[in-house]
Amino acid sequence: MNVPSQFRCSILSIRIDLNRSPSGDTVRPMVCSAITLSLATVAGVISVALLGIAFGTDNWMYIRVDRKQIQEDIASGAGSLSEADQERFESSGLFRSRTQGLFRTCYPETKPKGVELYLSPVETYCENIDYYIPDEENLTKSFSEERMARLHMARSMIALFIAAFFFVFVAFWTGVTGCWRRSPGNIGTTAALMLFACLFSAGSMGLWHGVQYYEQKKLNEAPFYQSWPPLLQERSVTVFDWSYFIAWVGVGWVLVSALLFVGASVCLKREMYSEKRRNLPYIMPVYPTKSSNGGYGPNPGYAYAASYSQPGPYYSGQQYAYNY
């Protein structure tokens, strides 16, 4: 069927307008979502790897004990130990350099005698940190109030880390679904889950600092710092180790991943809206109607949606006629 030239010009005008942005530039296929989704996925993988390494390694704190200097101080009379401490000098881990993680205390240099130790996956002699779960012998009943507060913080720290890993696991599946379906809603849910993982892991790090504060400043009972002999306190140095720094970097990468997923969701919404605008001429056929300009012929400047209630016969040429 031959289409009038004015009618063809109207359709062409609509298509050109729909393929332009509000600024007048031609809309091109966007790669925003692909880039942000790729970056968010990479950031998520990095964050999980870093948090997993920090969670499973034993180098959060390094406590260096200068045993040689302690012995020299005792020999020269510059310092002294009680008889009980002298007996513990070889058998207790307090007088040995050690690393401390979330689950184990390890002795990379020399190991104490008479202490039941085992080899860790990295071939160092370690002993477990007791969280009293379960407390079968009801040992916590004799703990002071401050020591119980420290124990509750330590347990909560582990629980928050586990919850953070759970949120990341769920975010993996929502992210895969969102990428497969190109769904802004699924990607937004993934961003929210990663943000929760960031908050829980950061909260766990805060609790870890609370545990360290109680151990070094509040608790004046064995085996914590305030109960150590003065000579041991003087010849000991406690520093943060590499697992601690990796944990904080992992928390930062979780936040970066969450923000990138938010950006990917926004990009997907914009791309879907742009795609609908580009496809609009193909799903809305345009026909002239009697309401166009009073039934006296087509209006060359505008095109209106189809009206199937009172169609008029078509005549070749530039005029239209309608039966009343």
Side-chain angles (χ1 to χ4, degrees):
M1 181 177 66
N2 295 326
V3 180
S5 60
Q6 294 174 343
F7 188 49
R8 289 199 301 268
C9 290
S10 298
I11 297 176
L12 181 61
S13 176
I14 292 174
R15 290 183 178 178
I16 292 175
D17 290 340
L18 289 174
N19 285 323
R20 290 184 179 275
S21 64
S23 61
D25 300 330
T26 302
V27 177
R28 297 179 179 178
M30 291 183 289
V31 295
C32 174
S33 63
I35 293 175
T36 51
L37 278 174
S38 300
L39 293 176
T41 303
V42 172
V45 171
I46 292 174
S47 65
V48 172
L50 292 177
L51 288 177
I53 291 172
F55 188 73
T57 52
D58 308 309
N59 296 85
W60 286 68
M61 297 283 291
Y62 176 61
I63 304 170
R64 182 180 178 276
V65 179
D66 194 343
R67 289 173 53 84
K68 183 178 179 181
Q69 189 62 49
I70 291 175
Q71 291 173 331
E72 291 179 357
D73 290 342
I74 295 174
S76 63
S80 62
L81 293 175
S82 64
E83 293 184 2
D85 290 332
Q86 290 180 8
E87 293 177 358
R88 293 194 305 163
F89 188 77
E90 295 295 336
S91 61
S92 175
L94 296 178
F95 292 89
R96 306 278 177 170
S97 296
R98 58 197 180 274
T99 61
Q100 184 175 321
L102 300 183
F103 301 100
R104 291 183 292 266
T105 299
C106 298
Y107 303 92
E109 299 176 4
T110 59
K111 60 180 181 178
K113 300 177 181 178
V115 179
E116 185 176 353
L117 304 174
Y118 64 92
L119 279 174
S120 70
V122 293
E123 299 296 324
T124 55
Y125 287 95
C126 304
E127 60 180 340
N128 290 328
I129 296 176
D130 197 353
Y131 288 95
Y132 301 96
I133 301 176
D135 186 13
E136 297 178 350
E137 300 179 2
N138 201 19
L139 297 176
T140 58
K141 187 176 181 179
S142 60
F143 284 4
S144 64
E145 184 177 347
E146 291 181 342
R147 187 168 183 178
M148 282 302 301
R150 176 258 174 200
L151 181 60
H152 288 316
M153 284 193 295
R155 291 172 174 176
S156 300
M157 170 189 64
I158 301 299
L160 288 184
F161 256 122
I162 295 173
F165 284 117
F166 172 77
F167 281 119
V168 172
F169 175 77
V170 178
F172 168 78
W173 294 107
T174 58
V176 169
T177 304
C179 291
W180 182 263
R181 299 172 55 188
R182 292 187 62 80
S183 169
N186 286 51
I187 298 300
T189 302
T190 303
L193 290 170
M194 293 300 289
L195 183 59
F196 276 119
C198 176
L199 293 175
F200 274 71
S201 56
S204 180
M205 295 297 296
L207 287 174
W208 184 85
H209 279 281
V211 170
Q212 297 304 313
Y213 174 77
Y214 265 73
E215 289 183 355
Q216 298 185 17
K217 303 294 184 182
K218 302 283 287 184
L219 293 172
N220 191 14
E221 53 186 290
F224 304 111
Y225 180 80
Q226 293 293 330
S227 67
W228 294 0
L231 182 59
L232 178 59
Q233 293 182 8
E234 183 181 352
R235 297 305 178 185
S236 299
V237 178
T238 302
V239 295
F240 297 123
D241 212 350
W242 58 267
S243 296
Y244 166 81
F245 296 108
I246 284 180
W248 271 121
V249 174
V251 173
W253 275 105
V254 176
L255 179 60
V256 170
S257 179
L259 295 177
L260 287 173
F261 275 117
V262 171
S265 178
V266 174
C267 287
L268 278 174
K269 289 181 180 179
R270 292 179 58 186
E271 290 179 8
M272 292 176 65
Y273 176 72
S274 177
E275 186 176 355
K276 288 181 180 179
R277 290 185 61 190
R278 288 196 300 270
N279 293 335
L280 189 60
Y282 301 101
I283 62 176
M284 285 185 59
V286 181
Y287 297 98
T289 63
K290 185 168 62 175
S291 61
S292 301
N293 56 356
Y296 297 101
N299 189 334
Y302 301 93
Y304 293 84
S307 175
Y308 298 100
S309 59
Q310 294 180 349
Y314 172 78
Y315 296 94
S316 62
Q318 302 297 324
Q319 299 294 329
Y320 293 85
Y322 295 87
N323 295 326
Y324 294 93

